[in-house]
Amino acid sequence: MSLNDQRFAIVDLPEIPQEILDSYDRCPVDEYMGNGTRFKRFSQYRLHHDEEQGWQFGLLEHRDYTAFTKFNPVGGGIKRKYLPIEADFTPLIRAGMEGLGLDKSEDWQINVHQNRTRAEGDRVGPLTPEGVHHDGHEFVMIAILRRNNVGGGKTRLWRPGADAPFWDGTLEAGQAVLLDDRALQHDVTDVTSADGGPGHRDIVIVAFSRWKEKWYGEDHDKAALTADAM
């Protein structure tokens, strides 16, 4: 599997362990995005490829999450405090990595976002309040783990500057989309309740950047906060 000529791919995930699904029940509310409908944990890793053992995941020291306003005008330009992820998502991440063809001669850094979005009655759950956007990384993986009593949540892929998406589709539980984040923009329509009762959509988003591009640490945070203050 590899990205197609349009620079994306839809892949199937391996069986999702129950302990991963259960861990979403322990995600605290996201105080920065979603207006009370989003629940989140966040962790970061360094990836190194070993000739004998393949890709190795090194958990990085937990830090506040910072993003550039040019990529996220809603949540960028500030330090966002999230609890670290409890569950082991690495088997699911490896499944996505197989389709990306990461350069094995370099180390990579990944941001891993564990997100639950809830909807109930007329209250929808916004998935991309920042609108059509790039995340700023080289590749992005958006994996759907569960859709419980929800509608909406349609993924849309855009050419930069286009008036309409060139692809859209509703990813089902057990599927993921892999994106060339520099070639494409994306957004997702709001989650709605399927029958008026409570529902939720559980996903994990993984953003891949080359380690040398410094998307982790003091230098990155200072650059993001300084740029957004200018």
Side-chain angles (χ1 to χ4, degrees):
M1 175 66 68
S2 60
L3 300 185
N4 60 25
D5 291 342
Q6 295 180 308
R7 304 305 297 157
F8 79 98
I10 307 297
V11 300
D12 292 326
L13 301 171
E15 183 177 356
I16 302 166
Q18 189 62 43
E19 54 264 32
I20 288 182
L21 295 176
D22 290 345
S23 73
Y24 281 84
D25 295 335
R26 301 188 296 274
C27 288
V29 67
D30 186 339
E31 301 289 349
Y32 310 92
M33 304 282 283
N35 295 321
T37 65
R38 181 177 295 183
F39 300 79
K40 183 179 183 75
R41 287 179 181 266
F42 170 74
S43 289
Q44 297 172 292
Y45 295 81
R46 182 170 181 168
L47 306 180
H48 172 76
H49 190 270
D50 180 89
E51 294 257 343
E52 296 182 355
Q53 299 182 347
W55 287 105
Q56 303 298 300
F57 287 71
L59 180 64
L60 294 168
E61 180 180 355
H62 192 68
R63 299 181 60 84
D64 296 339
Y65 176 54
T66 57
F68 287 86
T69 295
K70 65 181 178 180
F71 299 123
N72 189 333
V74 178
I78 58 174
K79 289 187 176 183
R80 288 186 262 167
K81 297 181 182 294
Y82 298 117
L83 292 180
I85 291 172
E86 298 177 319
D88 180 11
F89 283 88
T90 58
L92 304 183
I93 297 171
R94 288 182 189 277
M97 290 168 61
E98 292 178 3
L100 291 174
L102 300 184
D103 185 345
K104 297 178 181 178
S105 70
E106 294 197 46
D107 284 8
W108 292 73
Q109 187 261 317
I110 58 173
N111 292 338
V112 183
H113 305 262
Q114 179 185 13
N115 292 349
R116 164 174 284 182
T117 301
R118 292 182 180 171
E120 184 171 8
D122 294 332
R123 189 181 191 195
V124 303
L127 295 178
T128 50
E130 64 270 43
V132 179
H133 67 285
H134 299 281
D135 288 322
H137 302 272
E138 189 159 347
F139 300 112
V140 171
M141 170 185 178
I142 305 170
I144 314 304
L145 277 60
R146 180 163 48 191
R147 290 176 57 94
N148 179 55
N149 194 40
V150 294
K154 178 181 289 188
T155 299
R156 304 189 297 187
L157 306 181
W158 305 68
R159 299 295 179 195
D163 294 328
F166 72 88
W167 183 91
D168 63 65
T170 301
L171 300 177
E172 298 300 331
Q175 291 185 310
V177 59
L178 311 178
L179 308 173
D180 180 337
D181 187 51
R182 294 177 179 170
L184 305 178
Q185 293 179 300
H186 64 278
D187 73 337
V188 187
T189 62
D190 295 344
V191 163
T192 61
S193 168
D195 63 7
H200 56 266
R201 177 179 182 265
D202 296 342
I203 69 170
V204 62
I205 302 171
V206 187
F208 296 81
S209 299
R210 295 173 194 265
W211 182 260
K212 67 184 180 183
E213 294 184 358
K214 297 182 179 180
W215 279 82
Y216 171 83
E218 292 290 343
D219 289 345
H220 168 266
D221 295 350
K222 182 178 179 180
L225 298 172
T226 302
D228 294 326
M230 296 175 63

